[in-house]
Amino acid sequence: KSSFIATEVKAGGDPAVAGSTHIVTGNLQIRDVTKSIKFPATIVVNADAVSFKTEFTIQYTEINPCFKF
């Protein structure tokens, strides 16, 4: 089981990531471990919709250092 709950969305983006407009912070839970993460995203708000696009990589051992393959 995994989930993500955003705790903050800041306008401004990451200059190193082309097109990003915001930095999203939140709590990522994988199984029984929860970690706060941050990532750049492109968010566009229109009158009738919100679009959200992001791409990032997480090393599972960063979430749970005891994990072994």
Side-chain angles (χ1 to χ4, degrees):
K1 176 184 169 186
S2 64
S3 65
F4 176 77
I5 298 173
T7 57
E8 181 178 42
V9 178
K10 275 189 179 178
D14 181 344
V17 179
S20 68
T21 59
H22 293 75
I23 299 294
V24 178
T25 303
N27 296 317
L28 175 65
Q29 179 182 8
I30 299 177
R31 296 189 183 180
D32 60 346
V33 178
T34 302
K35 295 286 184 174
S36 178
I37 64 169
K38 256 185 209 187
F39 53 87
T42 302
I43 300 174
V44 177
V45 179
N46 294 318
D48 60 344
V50 175
S51 67
F52 182 97
K53 180 180 177 183
T54 188
E55 186 175 320
F56 57 94
T57 302
I58 296 174
Q59 295 288 336
Y60 191 79
T61 53
E62 292 177 20
I63 300 293
N64 186 353
C66 297
F67 181 77
K68 297 198 184 332
F69 287 98

